Amino acid sequence: KLRLVGLHRIAGFGGLSEDERKKSIQALFSKARIPATRVHLAIPREQGIVRQIELPADVGERLAGVVKLQVETLSPWPLNEIYWDFAKESQKKNRKLVTVTIAIIPRTVLDPWIAFFKSAGLPMSGATLSSLAYGHAAAAFWSGPTPTVILHREGTATEGIVINESRIAAMSASSSEHAPELLMDRLFSLAKLPSAEGSRLLVCGGDSDPSAMRDNPRLPLENSRPESTTHFGAIAAALLPLKDSAFKSNLVPPELRYRESQLRLVPAYVLGFLAICMGLGLVAREPYQNNIYASRLDGEIRKIAPLVREVAAQETAVRAMAGVLMICLKAHHDSRQRTWDQCESSGSGRI
């Protein structure tokens, strides 16, 4: 089960200069003692492209090559000027088509963020577009056929996302009095859903109306609170390396992703190896000791075997002599008895 450790917000981060941003984020990580091992970024949806296509389910290992051809067609930028990634829904029985979600972003958008976090001592491990981050979190939290609607309001813009199983629809609109209603109507039309009835609605964002967030669903996270849904965007980005879904993507190329050094695991591996050795030693100790005792006992038996045989021979000889003596005693007794009987019969009375 996942546990929510903490939520932090840097006020006015977008309006700060690059140096001020760097200092504020370093101060936050230091003060809150946040480990700088996994930094994932959710970039506004309008700065990239999200497209969904359906491909034959039996495409198999050729999927990456087929998607690359689709990216060349979908992208308004040359292939060498973009980062892209894709995710596919899990294979369903008796389905001939599989839905693939493609994310595309210009390098000019993502490269500055990669350089910024690296210079701040917080190298990035991943990045995706905001709508896919929301879709990934919704799919990770709530499974089933119930559609999920997410409205995220930040500043003067509201982003709306509808997640319906493996399908996603998203758009943005300026924040105004009737913007949420209009955005919802357009979203459900785009998602090909008749209405919002029966859907799961989540309102989030730092500038959202608190009264609109009272009916938000509770996040299935240990230590989460009702007000935690305000920061659903940050939670969604943090879930990217922890869960899999049909919307999971990482636009940071593998060669630029921060990876924790495996050398730090060497002490753990050594301790684990020693623990295993100790366990095996304890298991093998009793049979080993029994073998040692048995071999020593066999040696002692071999040493005393000649003496035992000699004593056994002497015992046999003694028994033979005792038998002869008993025979002699019995013969003597019989002889005396016959002599006595003879004297009585003759009347002499003397022996």
Side-chain angles (χ1 to χ4, degrees):
K1 187 177 180 180
L2 297 176
R3 181 167 60 92
L4 183 62
V5 177
L7 290 167
H8 309 277
R9 182 181 180 88
I10 300 176
F13 184 79
L16 301 177
S17 66
E18 183 171 338
D19 287 340
E20 291 172 333
R21 288 180 179 180
K22 189 182 303 183
K23 291 179 181 178
S24 62
I25 201 168
Q26 288 173 337
L28 173 62
F29 271 67
S30 176
K31 181 179 179 180
R33 296 182 179 180
I34 302 173
T37 54
R38 290 182 178 178
V39 177
H40 284 76
L41 184 67
I43 298 174
R45 181 195 60 83
E46 58 270 15
Q47 296 189 18
I49 294 176
V50 175
R51 294 289 185 270
Q52 288 190 301
I53 61 175
E54 289 188 332
L55 295 173
D58 59 356
V59 68
E61 297 179 355
R62 298 179 288 114
L63 180 61
V66 173
V67 172
K68 185 177 181 180
L69 294 176
Q70 294 292 326
V71 170
E72 292 178 351
T73 303
L74 296 172
S75 174
W77 309 283
L79 199 61
N80 61 352
E81 294 181 6
I82 63 170
Y83 295 127
W84 62 275
D85 195 14
F86 70 93
K88 70 179 183 71
E89 65 175 327
S90 57
Q91 187 69 42
K92 295 181 180 179
K93 191 176 181 180
N94 299 327
R95 279 201 60 180
K96 296 182 178 180
L97 297 176
V98 62
T99 302
V100 178
T101 304
I102 301 173
I104 305 172
I105 195 170
R107 295 190 178 192
T108 53
V109 172
L110 187 54
D111 281 342
W113 285 111
I114 294 175
F116 167 76
F117 280 100
K118 186 176 181 179
S119 65
L122 308 167
M124 287 176 56
S125 296
T128 191
L129 296 172
S130 56
S131 56
L132 291 184
Y134 296 135
H136 173 69
F141 283 150
W142 304 290
S143 59
T146 303
T148 300
V149 182
I150 299 173
L151 294 178
H152 180 267
R153 182 173 180 178
E154 203 73 44
T156 59
T158 299
E159 181 179 3
I161 306 97
V162 175
I163 302 97
N164 186 17
E165 296 188 272
S166 62
R167 307 296 300 184
I168 187 170
M171 60 173 51
S172 300
S174 59
S175 298
S176 62
E177 184 179 355
H178 300 290
E181 292 81 1
L182 296 174
L183 183 60
M184 290 276 285
D185 291 339
R186 294 175 62 189
L187 265 177
F188 277 91
S189 175
L190 183 63
K192 298 179 181 180
L193 291 174
S195 67
E197 186 177 354
S199 299
R200 181 186 298 107
L201 176 62
L202 189 148
V203 180
C204 59
D207 295 317
S208 296
D209 184 1
S211 61
M213 295 188 287
R214 290 173 185 168
D215 296 327
N216 280 346
R218 184 70 178 262
L219 299 181
L221 288 172
E222 188 178 341
N223 292 343
S224 68
R225 299 178 179 180
E227 59 269 22
S228 300
T229 54
T230 305
H231 306 284
F232 188 75
I235 294 173
L239 280 175
L240 289 171
L242 305 177
K243 291 284 187 176
D244 290 322
S245 77
F247 310 107
K248 182 177 181 176
S249 63
N250 191 348
L251 294 167
V252 179
E255 63 272 13
L256 297 180
R257 296 174 191 172
Y258 171 73
R259 293 180 175 83
E260 297 180 66
S261 174
Q262 298 300 313
L263 292 177
R264 68 182 184 85
L265 299 177
V266 170
Y269 289 144
V270 171
L271 290 175
F273 177 74
L274 293 176
I276 292 173
C277 291
M278 290 180 64
L280 293 175
L282 292 174
V283 170
R285 178 183 177 183
E286 184 174 350
Y288 174 75
Q289 288 181 338
N290 290 339
N291 289 334
I292 294 296
Y293 295 154
S295 62
R296 290 180 179 176
L297 185 59
D298 288 342
E300 294 297 327
I301 290 174
R302 292 191 191 96
K303 289 180 181 179
I304 66 173
L307 297 175
V308 171
R309 286 194 291 269
E310 183 179 350
V311 171
Q314 291 175 357
E315 182 181 1
T316 302
V318 169
R319 286 181 179 178
M321 293 176 64
V324 172
L325 180 61
M326 289 298 294
I327 293 171
C328 293
L329 289 174
K330 188 175 185 306
H332 177 69
H333 178 270
D334 292 344
S335 176
R336 291 188 62 187
Q337 185 66 37
R338 284 193 300 270
T339 303
W340 179 265
D341 291 341
Q342 290 173 2
C343 290
E344 283 186 345
S345 60
S346 61
S348 60
R350 293 182 64 186
I351 298 176

